[in-house]
Amino acid sequence: MASQPRHPPPPAAGGVSQPPTPSIPRVPVEHTTFDENHLPSVLHDPDPMTPEAERQARRRTCRFIEEAGQRSLRLPRVAVATATVFFHRFYAKHAFQEHDRFEVAMACLLLAGKTEESPKKLDLVLRECWKLRRRAQEQQQRKLSQGGESPSMAGSSPSALTSPPVGENKQIDPKSEEYARLKERVLLLERVILHTIGFELSIDHPYKFLVDCVQNLNSKKLLEAPTSFGNASGRGAQNTQMVQSLAQNAMNFANDSMHTSLCLQFTAKEIALACVYLSGKYAGINPAGGKSWLDLLEGITVEDLVSISVQILELVQPRKGMDSENSFRAIRKDLDEMSMGCAPDSKRQKI
């Protein structure tokens, strides 16, 4: 049965039309595999995005979620990660062209805070996220005024274009029509997100799995500390330094993985194992007894380890600079050797 057409609200004062209030759609049929060439934003008609533009929109908005969640709202790391997974799952079923990605991010943060028992008041979420977005708009306009190129704003609603001039208001007026419309849209988007993810609120993250993996490898004495840890006084101190370095780097890679669509492609445990591998190679930690990392990491295939690692490296390598170039080059070489003879699989697991 054909869906009813959506009618935009009447123009506001001044003749500027406002973005339509989102409605709760029927969730599309579940896909069995992940393929970025068939994501809604890429297939959207009449203005499809390229897969690269879709990836960039995800990454930019994930940075927004991380900044707003950790620094502005002071949510626990796990709540920010849950908000990010909600965001990825939402845009696996909806197009960036249909919903303002920053408003979706606000709704994801609001819902994740409740899910992870760290609820934040709606007014606080709206105010802090609005300030952060306004600050980003100021930076964008400064770049434009200096002759720079504007970053892609795919997924932004017309409200981003009809906001007051930069610098005019540093705080959104809670009594304004703009605030009332934003509040209404975010509350409704929270419901749309719940319908989209099928009310599945229990999210597994890589953090627990990677800590368990590091502790297991250490307890079985399956790792050898590199010579760079030789300054630690005594074998016990050297081993402690190695374990801390392995766990911390793996945590950092896991945080970076949240900015990609990996949570749509692989299980949290598989991502965790790949992060431990990347951490070990990055820190120069080797398996003991001449074994390989694949011998130590049970529960992940060569193809999946390579795919996860490559996607994380594509994100982090440009940011790390020349100091880490040799480490990344060695990791790439190791991945190439592992993948020799393994046909790449372009279609992934269930969304």
Side-chain angles (χ1 to χ4, degrees):
M1 183 174 64
S3 59
Q4 294 298 319
R6 300 179 185 175
H7 298 287
V16 179
S17 60
Q18 299 301 323
T21 301
S23 59
I24 298 180
R26 290 177 298 176
V27 179
V29 177
E30 181 79 12
H31 295 291
T32 56
T33 56
F34 177 86
D35 184 353
E36 66 175 4
N37 292 308
H38 290 83
L39 288 170
S41 301
V42 177
L43 298 178
H44 190 267
D45 186 24
D47 52 344
M49 300 172 68
T50 64
E52 173 61 24
E54 206 272 353
R55 286 195 299 271
Q56 289 300 322
R58 285 181 185 271
R59 292 175 183 179
R60 291 191 182 103
T61 320
C62 287
R63 287 197 293 270
F64 175 85
I65 292 174
E66 188 172 55
E67 177 83 9
Q70 288 196 279
R71 297 190 181 182
S72 301
L73 299 173
R74 300 191 180 279
L75 285 168
R77 176 69 243 183
V78 67
V80 177
T82 296
T84 307
V85 173
F86 288 162
F87 174 81
H88 284 302
R89 290 184 178 181
F90 180 85
Y91 279 112
K93 302 290 181 64
H94 299 278
F96 282 105
Q97 298 91 329
E98 297 172 348
H99 300 281
D100 184 306
R101 57 192 172 100
F102 295 103
E103 291 175 0
V104 171
M106 295 179 201
C108 289
L109 285 165
L110 182 67
L111 180 59
K114 300 173 186 177
T115 302
E116 301 298 342
E117 300 181 352
S118 303
K120 298 295 180 180
K121 291 184 178 180
L122 173 61
D123 289 345
L124 177 64
V125 173
L126 296 182
R127 289 198 311 269
E128 293 300 323
C129 290
W130 187 92
K131 282 195 299 184
L132 182 61
R133 185 176 185 182
R134 178 52 54 91
R135 206 155 54 233
Q137 289 174 338
E138 290 177 353
Q139 294 173 355
Q140 178 188 349
Q141 289 197 11
R142 279 198 296 270
K143 288 182 180 179
L144 289 173
S145 65
Q146 296 169 359
E149 293 186 359
S150 170
S152 172
M153 292 298 289
S156 293
S157 74
S159 62
L161 305 177
T162 60
S163 299
V166 172
E168 183 175 306
N169 291 310
K170 293 298 182 183
Q171 298 279 355
I172 187 170
D173 183 359
K175 297 180 180 179
S176 66
E177 291 186 10
E178 179 188 7
Y179 183 86
R181 289 192 299 269
L182 178 62
K183 185 175 182 178
E184 180 186 4
R185 288 197 299 270
V186 170
L187 282 174
L188 187 50
L189 278 168
E190 184 183 28
R191 295 167 58 196
V192 177
I193 292 167
L194 281 169
H195 280 260
T196 300
I197 66 177
F199 294 86
E200 185 180 343
L201 300 176
S202 180
I203 305 296
D204 285 330
H205 296 299
Y207 306 115
K208 177 184 180 298
F209 296 106
L210 68 85
V211 170
D212 291 343
C213 179
V214 171
Q215 291 177 343
N216 182 57
L217 294 176
N218 181 54
S219 64
K220 294 182 178 180
K221 296 180 170 43
L222 296 175
L223 301 173
E224 292 180 349
T227 56
S228 59
F229 293 162
N231 295 330
S233 57
R235 184 177 296 274
Q238 186 182 54
N239 185 72
T240 300
Q241 183 179 351
M242 177 187 68
V243 171
Q244 289 177 344
S245 177
L246 183 62
Q248 184 58 60
N249 285 326
M251 285 283 188
N252 292 340
F253 283 120
N255 289 338
D256 290 325
S257 76
M258 293 295 173
H259 294 194
T260 72
S261 60
L262 283 171
C263 65
L264 303 177
Q265 306 173 50
F266 303 96
T267 66
K269 184 177 180 179
E270 290 169 334
I271 297 172
L273 294 175
C275 290
V276 172
Y277 162 78
L278 288 171
S279 176
K281 296 294 291 185
Y282 184 74
I285 300 171
N286 297 314
K291 294 183 178 181
S292 69
W293 276 102
L294 274 175
D295 297 327
L296 305 187
L297 301 176
E298 298 180 359
I300 188 169
T301 65
V302 176
E303 294 90 343
D304 290 348
L305 177 61
V306 171
S307 179
I308 297 170
S309 300
V310 167
Q311 291 183 62
I312 294 176
L313 288 177
E314 287 176 348
L315 176 70
V316 303
Q317 194 167 354
R319 302 201 315 251
K320 292 291 186 179
M322 294 303 298
D323 293 342
S324 303
E325 190 61 33
N326 289 336
S327 297
F328 288 135
R329 190 178 294 114
I331 295 173
R332 287 278 191 173
K333 181 179 179 181
D334 191 54
L335 292 171
D336 288 342
E337 292 175 353
M338 278 195 292
S339 61
M340 286 181 63
C342 298
D345 185 0
S346 61
K347 296 185 183 291
R348 305 309 321 162
Q349 298 184 0
K350 286 185 179 180
I351 295 176

